[in-house]
Amino acid sequence: MIPAPYLLYLGHSTDFIGIKTSRGLATFRRHDCVGEFRHDDCALTLDLPRLTMTEGAAAGAKTLVLGIANSGGSMGEDLVQDAIAGLEAGMNIASGLHQRLRDEPRLVKLAESKGLQLFDVRDPPADLKVGNGYARPGHRLLTVGTDCSVGKMYATIALADAIKARGIKADFRATGQTGILIAGAGVPIDAVVADFISGGIEQLAPARDDNGWDLIEGQGSLFHPSFAGVSTGLLHGAQPEAIVMCHDPSREHMRGIPGRKLPSLKECLEANLQVARLTSPNVRAVGVCLNTSGLAPGQARDLCRITEAALGLPCTDPIAFGVDAIIDELLCTAPSALSTTASR
């Protein structure tokens, strides 16, 4: 376990989506966050006290969480220097980047000299096996998306909480660095060797016989050239009984690929259902979650209603409006209109 409380790192970030790990911890584990560290050129904030490294340690922070993400997950020299400052102040360091803290000799040497720890969150388990696709008992739902970073983790946690609120057992199964830091466990599926992706999810959400649900956090998108491989492996390993589509209506193009359009919701849903059927022939779509944070409340509700009418599925913003309508659809026995149509 990574020692709490945390000082959340924003550094020099200018991209709101790029601080998603720090933002996720500030949202779901705010009681464990003493403040945020950011440089003067960073205009972003999590509405936590702005602290220096020394102030963060004095406020009780045990770990500096490098909660940022960039393409390729690398550490620049400025990030290394800030991590050094965190160690000097007496804090452990946690990172979910692909480039490991343990591969930076300066950090390893300093941490050892001070009796502190380096936590590389994106380390997959060592005992993963190749997936087999055999049917296994249990209820599983997977969130999927039109793009990466469109709210799959937020939707998955909201769905898990809503099911538990109805007295049904449910577990959030984290597959990314932010989800793992929030849940305290999971499989960083984008760091798993390709042959073991589906097997990793079979291990993360094994057979269960308690009539409970595994809510599995999706990653990437079948339509994103950079990350479709991970999304495919997730669909096969999850063997979902149900999927929920996540989408950011303000997104103008695929993240990181200007000029590449996002698919329509209908096209994306049908593609995900088709791929999922390899290991889950009776999979069905049960809802759509929109990230409407950039819209006025009235506009957001109107867009949800329009989407519902177009797809024949409940549509909501899980943070603004909750997910009860999707849970109603999930727990009923009748398949949705889209699921019936897509299976013909």
Side-chain angles (χ1 to χ4, degrees), residues 305-325:
R305 283 193 290 267
I306 291 169
T307 304
E308 283 187 351
L311 297 178
L313 289 169
C315 177
T316 184
D317 181 319
I319 303 303
F321 310 132
V323 292
D324 280 342

PDB file of all heavy atoms in Angstrom, residues 305-325:
ATOM      1  N   ARG A 305     -31.074  13.600 -23.538  1.00  0.00           N
ATOM      2  CA  ARG A 305     -32.377  13.183 -24.079  1.00  0.00           C
ATOM      3  C   ARG A 305     -32.278  12.861 -25.570  1.00  0.00           C
ATOM      4  O   ARG A 305     -32.848  11.886 -26.053  1.00  0.00           O
ATOM      5  CB  ARG A 305     -33.418  14.278 -23.833  1.00  0.00           C
ATOM      6  CG  ARG A 305     -33.940  14.325 -22.398  1.00  0.00           C
ATOM      7  CD  ARG A 305     -35.180  15.192 -22.303  1.00  0.00           C
ATOM      8  NE  ARG A 305     -34.862  16.608 -22.490  1.00  0.00           N
ATOM      9  CZ  ARG A 305     -34.600  17.444 -21.488  1.00  0.00           C
ATOM     10  NH1 ARG A 305     -34.603  17.006 -20.228  1.00  0.00           N
ATOM     11  NH2 ARG A 305     -34.341  18.717 -21.735  1.00  0.00           N
ATOM     12  N   ILE A 306     -31.543  13.686 -26.316  1.00  0.00           N
ATOM     13  CA  ILE A 306     -31.375  13.453 -27.750  1.00  0.00           C
ATOM     14  C   ILE A 306     -30.647  12.130 -27.993  1.00  0.00           C
ATOM     15  O   ILE A 306     -31.012  11.342 -28.880  1.00  0.00           O
ATOM     16  CB  ILE A 306     -30.593  14.623 -28.394  1.00  0.00           C
ATOM     17  CG1 ILE A 306     -31.448  15.889 -28.380  1.00  0.00           C
ATOM     18  CG2 ILE A 306     -30.152  14.273 -29.816  1.00  0.00           C
ATOM     19  CD1 ILE A 306     -30.676  17.143 -28.744  1.00  0.00           C
ATOM     20  N   THR A 307     -29.620  11.877 -27.201  1.00  0.00           N
ATOM     21  CA  THR A 307     -28.846  10.640 -27.343  1.00  0.00           C
ATOM     22  C   THR A 307     -29.690   9.427 -27.002  1.00  0.00           C
ATOM     23  O   THR A 307     -29.619   8.390 -27.682  1.00  0.00           O
ATOM     24  CB  THR A 307     -27.596  10.695 -26.451  1.00  0.00           C
ATOM     25  OG1 THR A 307     -26.823  11.867 -26.767  1.00  0.00           O
ATOM     26  CG2 THR A 307     -26.730   9.462 -26.643  1.00  0.00           C
ATOM     27  N   GLU A 308     -30.491   9.540 -25.953  1.00  0.00           N
ATOM     28  CA  GLU A 308     -31.397   8.440 -25.588  1.00  0.00           C
ATOM     29  C   GLU A 308     -32.346   8.098 -26.736  1.00  0.00           C
ATOM     30  O   GLU A 308     -32.550   6.932 -27.072  1.00  0.00           O
ATOM     31  CB  GLU A 308     -32.214   8.814 -24.351  1.00  0.00           C
ATOM     32  CG  GLU A 308     -31.456   8.717 -23.055  1.00  0.00           C
ATOM     33  CD  GLU A 308     -32.367   8.929 -21.849  1.00  0.00           C
ATOM     34  OE1 GLU A 308     -33.541   9.311 -22.054  1.00  0.00           O
ATOM     35  OE2 GLU A 308     -31.904   8.710 -20.724  1.00  0.00           O
ATOM     36  N   ALA A 309     -32.917   9.137 -27.328  1.00  0.00           N
ATOM     37  CA  ALA A 309     -33.872   8.917 -28.415  1.00  0.00           C
ATOM     38  C   ALA A 309     -33.193   8.291 -29.627  1.00  0.00           C
ATOM     39  O   ALA A 309     -33.774   7.444 -30.313  1.00  0.00           O
ATOM     40  CB  ALA A 309     -34.526  10.243 -28.798  1.00  0.00           C
ATOM     41  N   ALA A 310     -31.956   8.691 -29.901  1.00  0.00           N
ATOM     42  CA  ALA A 310     -31.256   8.194 -31.078  1.00  0.00           C
ATOM     43  C   ALA A 310     -30.819   6.742 -30.923  1.00  0.00           C
ATOM     44  O   ALA A 310     -30.827   5.976 -31.904  1.00  0.00           O
ATOM     45  CB  ALA A 310     -30.039   9.072 -31.365  1.00  0.00           C
ATOM     46  N   LEU A 311     -30.442   6.340 -29.711  1.00  0.00           N
ATOM     47  CA  LEU A 311     -29.869   5.009 -29.509  1.00  0.00           C
ATOM     48  C   LEU A 311     -30.811   4.023 -28.817  1.00  0.00           C
ATOM     49  O   LEU A 311     -30.540   2.823 -28.798  1.00  0.00           O
ATOM     50  CB  LEU A 311     -28.573   5.128 -28.689  1.00  0.00           C
ATOM     51  CG  LEU A 311     -27.431   5.916 -29.331  1.00  0.00           C
ATOM     52  CD1 LEU A 311     -26.248   5.997 -28.379  1.00  0.00           C
ATOM     53  CD2 LEU A 311     -27.011   5.304 -30.652  1.00  0.00           C
ATOM     54  N   GLY A 312     -31.879   4.519 -28.220  1.00  0.00           N
ATOM     55  CA  GLY A 312     -32.765   3.631 -27.487  1.00  0.00           C
ATOM     56  C   GLY A 312     -32.148   3.098 -26.221  1.00  0.00           C
ATOM     57  O   GLY A 312     -32.472   1.996 -25.756  1.00  0.00           O
ATOM     58  N   LEU A 313     -31.235   3.874 -25.644  1.00  0.00           N
ATOM     59  CA  LEU A 313     -30.546   3.494 -24.415  1.00  0.00           C
ATOM     60  C   LEU A 313     -30.573   4.652 -23.433  1.00  0.00           C
ATOM     61  O   LEU A 313     -30.551   5.820 -23.845  1.00  0.00           O
ATOM     62  CB  LEU A 313     -29.081   3.145 -24.702  1.00  0.00           C
ATOM     63  CG  LEU A 313     -28.776   1.860 -25.453  1.00  0.00           C
ATOM     64  CD1 LEU A 313     -27.310   1.831 -25.858  1.00  0.00           C
ATOM     65  CD2 LEU A 313     -29.111   0.650 -24.590  1.00  0.00           C
ATOM     66  N   PRO A 314     -30.594   4.387 -22.125  1.00  0.00           N
ATOM     67  CA  PRO A 314     -30.484   5.479 -21.163  1.00  0.00           C
ATOM     68  C   PRO A 314     -29.148   6.195 -21.311  1.00  0.00           C
ATOM     69  O   PRO A 314     -28.112   5.558 -21.530  1.00  0.00           O
ATOM     70  CB  PRO A 314     -30.598   4.783 -19.801  1.00  0.00           C
ATOM     71  CG  PRO A 314     -30.285   3.352 -20.070  1.00  0.00           C
ATOM     72  CD  PRO A 314     -30.728   3.075 -21.462  1.00  0.00           C
ATOM     73  N   CYS A 315     -29.194   7.506 -21.213  1.00  0.00           N
ATOM     74  CA  CYS A 315     -27.987   8.319 -21.369  1.00  0.00           C
ATOM     75  C   CYS A 315     -27.933   9.335 -20.239  1.00  0.00           C
ATOM     76  O   CYS A 315     -28.931   9.990 -19.927  1.00  0.00           O
ATOM     77  CB  CYS A 315     -27.985   9.024 -22.719  1.00  0.00           C
ATOM     78  SG  CYS A 315     -26.569  10.123 -22.974  1.00  0.00           S
ATOM     79  N   THR A 316     -26.761   9.497 -19.642  1.00  0.00           N
ATOM     80  CA  THR A 316     -26.617  10.398 -18.512  1.00  0.00           C
ATOM     81  C   THR A 316     -25.185  10.888 -18.403  1.00  0.00           C
ATOM     82  O   THR A 316     -24.273  10.335 -19.039  1.00  0.00           O
ATOM     83  CB  THR A 316     -27.008   9.673 -17.204  1.00  0.00           C
ATOM     84  OG1 THR A 316     -26.959  10.600 -16.110  1.00  0.00           O
ATOM     85  CG2 THR A 316     -26.069   8.508 -16.911  1.00  0.00           C
ATOM     86  N   ASP A 317     -24.989  11.921 -17.615  1.00  0.00           N
ATOM     87  CA  ASP A 317     -23.657  12.286 -17.131  1.00  0.00           C
ATOM     88  C   ASP A 317     -23.567  11.713 -15.725  1.00  0.00           C
ATOM     89  O   ASP A 317     -24.313  12.128 -14.838  1.00  0.00           O
ATOM     90  CB  ASP A 317     -23.487  13.807 -17.101  1.00  0.00           C
ATOM     91  CG  ASP A 317     -22.106  14.238 -16.628  1.00  0.00           C
ATOM     92  OD1 ASP A 317     -21.581  13.625 -15.664  1.00  0.00           O
ATOM     93  OD2 ASP A 317     -21.545  15.194 -17.184  1.00  0.00           O
ATOM     94  N   PRO A 318     -22.679  10.747 -15.479  1.00  0.00           N
ATOM     95  CA  PRO A 318     -22.683  10.056 -14.187  1.00  0.00           C
ATOM     96  C   PRO A 318     -22.366  10.966 -13.005  1.00  0.00           C
ATOM     97  O   PRO A 318     -22.838  10.713 -11.888  1.00  0.00           O
ATOM     98  CB  PRO A 318     -21.608   8.976 -14.356  1.00  0.00           C
ATOM     99  CG  PRO A 318     -20.755   9.451 -15.484  1.00  0.00           C
ATOM    100  CD  PRO A 318     -21.663  10.218 -16.394  1.00  0.00           C
ATOM    101  N   ILE A 319     -21.594  12.022 -13.239  1.00  0.00           N
ATOM    102  CA  ILE A 319     -21.248  12.925 -12.154  1.00  0.00           C
ATOM    103  C   ILE A 319     -22.369  13.931 -11.915  1.00  0.00           C
ATOM    104  O   ILE A 319     -22.755  14.205 -10.772  1.00  0.00           O
ATOM    105  CB  ILE A 319     -19.935  13.657 -12.454  1.00  0.00           C
ATOM    106  CG1 ILE A 319     -18.796  12.658 -12.704  1.00  0.00           C
ATOM    107  CG2 ILE A 319     -19.565  14.602 -11.317  1.00  0.00           C
ATOM    108  CD1 ILE A 319     -18.541  11.688 -11.571  1.00  0.00           C
ATOM    109  N   ALA A 320     -22.930  14.475 -12.979  1.00  0.00           N
ATOM    110  CA  ALA A 320     -23.954  15.514 -12.845  1.00  0.00           C
ATOM    111  C   ALA A 320     -25.328  14.957 -12.517  1.00  0.00           C
ATOM    112  O   ALA A 320     -26.079  15.555 -11.731  1.00  0.00           O
ATOM    113  CB  ALA A 320     -24.019  16.343 -14.129  1.00  0.00           C
ATOM    114  N   PHE A 321     -25.686  13.815 -13.109  1.00  0.00           N
ATOM    115  CA  PHE A 321     -27.067  13.336 -13.018  1.00  0.00           C
ATOM    116  C   PHE A 321     -27.218  11.940 -12.427  1.00  0.00           C
ATOM    117  O   PHE A 321     -28.346  11.461 -12.271  1.00  0.00           O
ATOM    118  CB  PHE A 321     -27.714  13.357 -14.413  1.00  0.00           C
ATOM    119  CG  PHE A 321     -27.563  14.661 -15.144  1.00  0.00           C
ATOM    120  CD1 PHE A 321     -27.136  14.696 -16.465  1.00  0.00           C
ATOM    121  CD2 PHE A 321     -27.831  15.864 -14.509  1.00  0.00           C
ATOM    122  CE1 PHE A 321     -26.988  15.900 -17.147  1.00  0.00           C
ATOM    123  CE2 PHE A 321     -27.695  17.074 -15.180  1.00  0.00           C
ATOM    124  CZ  PHE A 321     -27.270  17.094 -16.494  1.00  0.00           C
ATOM    125  N   GLY A 322     -26.124  11.262 -12.111  1.00  0.00           N
ATOM    126  CA  GLY A 322     -26.227   9.916 -11.578  1.00  0.00           C
ATOM    127  C   GLY A 322     -26.439   8.872 -12.665  1.00  0.00           C
ATOM    128  O   GLY A 322     -26.552   9.201 -13.849  1.00  0.00           O
ATOM    129  N   VAL A 323     -26.506   7.606 -12.261  1.00  0.00           N
ATOM    130  CA  VAL A 323     -26.574   6.506 -13.231  1.00  0.00           C
ATOM    131  C   VAL A 323     -27.747   5.560 -12.967  1.00  0.00           C
ATOM    132  O   VAL A 323     -27.753   4.422 -13.439  1.00  0.00           O
ATOM    133  CB  VAL A 323     -25.254   5.701 -13.235  1.00  0.00           C
ATOM    134  CG1 VAL A 323     -24.111   6.529 -13.787  1.00  0.00           C
ATOM    135  CG2 VAL A 323     -24.932   5.164 -11.846  1.00  0.00           C
ATOM    136  N   ASP A 324     -28.753   6.001 -12.230  1.00  0.00           N
ATOM    137  CA  ASP A 324     -29.860   5.110 -11.873  1.00  0.00           C
ATOM    138  C   ASP A 324     -30.557   4.510 -13.088  1.00  0.00           C
ATOM    139  O   ASP A 324     -30.945   3.334 -13.086  1.00  0.00           O
ATOM    140  CB  ASP A 324     -30.879   5.853 -11.004  1.00  0.00           C
ATOM    141  CG  ASP A 324     -30.429   5.944  -9.554  1.00  0.00           C
ATOM    142  OD1 ASP A 324     -29.541   5.167  -9.170  1.00  0.00           O
ATOM    143  OD2 ASP A 324     -30.947   6.806  -8.814  1.00  0.00           O
ATOM    144  N   ALA A 325     -30.734   5.321 -14.143  1.00  0.00           N
ATOM    145  CA  ALA A 325     -31.427   4.812 -15.328  1.00  0.00           C
ATOM    146  C   ALA A 325     -30.642   3.674 -15.977  1.00  0.00           C
ATOM    147  O   ALA A 325     -31.224   2.703 -16.480  1.00  0.00           O
ATOM    148  CB  ALA A 325     -31.659   5.936 -16.334  1.00  0.00           C
TER     149      ALA A 325
END
